[in-house]
Amino acid sequence: RDARHPRPPEHALSAASRRMTTMDAQEAKRRKLEAKMGGGPPPSFPSAVPVPARKEPQPSQPKAPPPATAAEEADPFVCDANDAVSFRLVNTAADMATAEPFEPEFTHQVFREDETIFGYKELRIDIFQSAHLFKTYVKVRFAEKVKSTLNPADDVIEALRAHFGEEMMTDEKTFLSTLEADKDARVPAGGGDVVAVADATGVGDDVKAVDVIRAFRLSDAAVYPWHARFEPLILFFIDGASAVDSEDDNWTLLCATRHVYTSDAERDAIVSGASDGNHGWSTAAFATIYEFFQYPDKKRARLSQIVVAPPFQRQGLGSALLSATRALATKRSFVDVTVEDPTPQLQRLRDVGDVRALWSLPSVAAAVRAAAVAASKLSREDVEKEKAPLCVALQCPTSVKNEARDVLKLCAPQLARCWEALLFLFAKKSGAPEDSPAAAAFTELVVRRLRRQHCADAQRDAGAKRVYHSDVALFASGGNEHLAAEKAFVMTKAKKGRAGGQAPDLEEGEDKQDPAEVLAEYFHETMSNLAWLASAAKI
């Protein structure tokens, strides 16, 4: 446990809570989020290509928990941080009582690792933020606070201030004055560069609003304070999130702002940047993009953060930000767009948009049909002989790879996923049998990609050399003290005449996971995602 927040022995968690680890809680949340996205069991795909069977965990007889002691009874001074915290986005003083609250998904990056707060009974933490500039006011309420100098209550305000900054307010009158002073504030930096415009959805039948996605240089003096105020949201809604370096000129901020209007003339003024409307505006979503160099003279884009504020979710803004990222990459002549460590939800959203965009290209649709025809000519004799890879018939043509990169800015790994998805969707649409040689070829195509992607480490066939990295620091002396921070490594080389020219493999511990099991898990996960995609992206 963090030494800064010692847990008093006389205020222990209940036995059940103590047995529930942080990993258990995160896994439960991940499954909950996955359930929201839909999905289903993977379809059966019999194939002559051997796919390792996924080992199902054997049920074990649960051990009866020991009886709880008095010290392990539920502690009234320990609160669930996820239940205690709530957010509200407001424009006026009246909104503070009427705005719909929303709760965080995660709090372990702000409070304790087990997502609890110690020292309060009936704790409530209300976080109010101005809907446009995201200036923050925190109101803390509780029925009773623990009286202990040895083990004091957690400092909630300071924990939040560490992320929301020194300008975070704790006085309601000050916040109300700030709302009044900012009521006519414009979008920072002159409104940035407009990348996309769309009529807003989910705003009610009697309300008209427009969503404008704008691009800003994050290092702009008028932009990075604005971004710094809403960036802390990622800590509450993305597990393992981290802040970006706003002083780096290679960062671009894409921000979706929503503007309410009553007339076409007012809408036109909003879109042109002449006005932000007469009825207020809100920061609805944002994404951060990093530009990095590709030899010899090109640039690529990496999508780092993407967040849609909960009141604006399921209204198409996530897809709109992904499309705007592609449009920005095209405008700036980037080679392609990658996504940094996407969550399963973001990856599915990305897959849907990219598959639809690919299918809209006539040459790609024709290539998918041609591949399906070629695979349909495979016979069972071809499967049984195993003379050549079956998946050759389903390989993505070079022309499709070039067009996907140049027109849609798809990176190679994403294109491979989308190509498989198009083949799968076309087969479903055509009613292709699941036990055909073509299905075997498709399985082989997927397995080969997964093996390249997930088994390409030091333990795989790596040629004449293998490098094994170590956490052991080098022993540096004799004028080489500057190397003391470097880590040691071991390299093996193949002997001359060694069969296959492969470097010798080093044995590892028994806890190493079987690569075949890993591959099987990824295969079943891929097929499950394709089954979901078939229902989400119609072609």
Side-chain angles (χ1 to χ4, degrees):
R1 180 165 303 282
D2 193 332
R4 296 171 299 173
H5 302 289
R7 181 63 57 84
E10 66 272 22
H11 295 297
L13 290 173
S14 69
S17 297
R18 291 174 63 186
R19 284 188 292 271
M20 174 66 76
T21 64
T22 301
M23 291 298 294
D24 293 333
Q26 299 310 319
E27 177 64 15
K29 287 184 180 181
R30 186 190 69 77
R31 292 179 181 277
K32 177 181 176 183
L33 292 174
E34 280 291 299
K36 290 182 180 179
M37 297 299 297
S44 58
F45 254 77
S47 169
V49 180
V51 178
R54 180 173 52 178
K55 290 186 178 181
E56 300 294 339
Q58 296 298 321
S60 58
Q61 294 297 328
K63 296 181 179 179
T69 63
E72 292 178 325
E73 292 298 330
D75 187 346
F77 286 97
V78 175
C79 307
D80 185 325
N82 291 327
D83 294 336
V85 176
S86 67
F87 290 85
R88 288 179 175 83
L89 301 182
V90 300
N91 286 305
T92 65
D95 292 342
M96 295 184 69
T98 60
E100 188 69 25
F102 55 94
E103 296 180 350
E105 294 286 351
F106 307 99
T107 52
H108 65 277
Q109 299 172 106
V110 177
F111 301 110
R112 293 175 180 252
E113 289 185 3
D114 60 356
E115 301 193 319
T116 62
I117 300 174
F118 168 72
Y120 306 88
K121 284 184 179 180
E122 301 177 21
L123 176 66
R124 295 297 306 166
I125 304 172
D126 300 315
I127 302 176
F128 298 90
Q129 295 184 291
S130 54
H132 53 353
L133 298 180
F134 266 70
K135 294 184 178 180
T136 304
Y137 159 58
V138 176
K139 181 179 181 180
V140 178
R141 298 173 289 148
F142 50 85
E144 185 179 349
K145 185 175 181 180
V146 69
K147 298 178 177 63
S148 173
T149 56
L150 179 61
N151 294 297
D154 294 345
D155 194 331
V156 172
I157 294 297
E158 286 307 308
L160 292 169
R161 197 182 299 279
H163 301 284
F164 286 104
E166 291 299 322
E167 67 176 21
M168 185 187 83
M169 291 166 269
T170 56
D171 179 70
E172 185 170 341
K173 290 183 179 179
T174 302
F175 181 66
L176 292 177
S177 298
T178 301
L179 284 179
E180 180 63 24
D182 292 341
K183 66 179 182 180
D184 296 323
R186 298 290 307 274
V187 175
D193 297 325
V194 175
V195 179
V197 176
D199 289 325
T201 61
V203 294
D205 297 335
D206 56 343
V207 177
K208 293 188 291 185
V210 60
D211 293 330
V212 183
I213 299 180
R214 313 158 186 269
F216 305 86
R217 281 294 175 187
L218 191 53
S219 57
D220 190 310
V223 174
Y224 70 76
W226 180 37
H227 171 259
R229 289 193 292 268
F230 55 71
E231 187 183 40
L233 275 183
I234 68 174
L235 300 174
F236 294 93
F237 295 97
I238 300 178
D239 192 15
S242 59
V244 302
D245 180 7
S246 60
E247 296 182 359
D248 191 331
D249 290 336
N250 291 314
W251 283 106
T252 294
L253 172 68
L254 281 182
C255 194
T257 56
R258 177 164 294 181
H259 306 254
V260 176
Y261 66 92
T262 55
S263 66
D264 291 342
E266 186 179 1
R267 184 187 189 279
D268 293 341
I270 293 170
V271 173
S272 68
S275 166
D276 288 324
N278 303 319
H279 303 82
W281 58 278
S282 301
T283 300
F286 74 92
T288 51
I289 302 166
Y290 191 78
E291 304 172 13
F292 61 100
F293 175 75
Q294 176 173 298
Y295 183 83
D297 57 354
K298 302 293 184 181
K299 284 188 174 182
R300 304 177 71 192
R302 177 182 291 122
L303 181 62
S304 177
Q305 303 168 329
I306 179 168
V307 175
V308 180
F312 303 97
Q313 290 178 359
R314 299 189 178 277
Q315 298 174 27
L317 285 172
S319 299
L321 281 174
L322 290 175
S323 297
T325 301
R326 177 182 293 135
L328 185 70
T330 301
K331 181 178 180 181
R332 296 184 180 178
S333 300
F334 293 155
V335 174
D336 57 19
V337 176
T338 64
V339 178
E340 180 181 353
D341 194 19
T343 64
Q345 295 77 29
L346 176 57
Q347 185 60 58
R348 283 183 169 183
L349 188 66
R350 183 186 181 199
D351 287 346
V352 170
D354 289 346
V355 164
R356 288 172 175 168
L358 271 173
W359 186 251
S360 68
L361 300 177
S363 58
V364 175
V368 171
R369 295 187 183 95
V373 170
S376 68
K377 295 179 181 179
L378 293 172
S379 66
R380 299 200 176 277
E381 191 175 69
D382 295 325
V383 177
E384 294 169 358
K385 287 182 178 180
E386 299 183 355
K387 288 185 177 181
L390 297 174
C391 63
V392 170
L394 296 176
Q395 292 288 353
C396 182
T398 301
S399 59
V400 171
K401 295 178 181 179
N402 293 337
E403 187 172 11
R405 183 189 63 240
D406 297 340
V407 177
L408 301 179
K409 303 302 175 183
L410 295 187
C411 60
Q414 178 64 6
L415 173 61
R417 289 174 58 94
C418 293
W419 177 255
E420 291 168 4
L422 286 174
L423 293 173
F424 182 86
L425 297 181
F426 187 79
K428 284 289 185 183
K429 184 178 180 180
S430 304
E434 295 184 353
D435 59 349
S436 65
F442 180 78
T443 300
E444 183 181 276
L445 182 73
V446 174
V447 169
R448 282 172 172 256
R449 175 182 66 83
L450 294 175
R451 184 180 290 116
R452 289 193 303 269
Q453 181 177 351
H454 299 290
C455 300
D457 57 12
Q459 308 310 314
R460 193 172 67 91
D461 289 345
K465 294 182 181 179
R466 295 178 191 266
V467 176
Y468 299 83
H469 296 282
S470 168
D471 291 330
V472 178
L474 289 174
F475 177 75
S477 62
N480 293 319
E481 286 79 4
H482 63 286
L483 298 176
E486 300 294 329
K487 302 298 183 182
F489 65 91
V490 176
M491 183 175 71
T492 63
K493 296 181 65 176
K495 293 181 179 180
K496 291 183 178 180
R498 181 181 177 91
Q502 295 296 326
D505 197 358
L506 295 181
E507 295 183 359
E508 292 194 352
E510 296 180 357
D511 57 345
K512 176 186 173 184
Q513 192 171 3
D514 184 355
E517 293 183 21
V518 175
L519 186 61
E521 289 290 339
Y522 280 119
F523 177 79
H524 286 280
E525 179 182 325
T526 298
M527 298 309 298
S528 179
N529 285 335
L530 287 174
W532 176 86
L533 194 59
S535 62
K538 304 293 185 182
I539 64 171

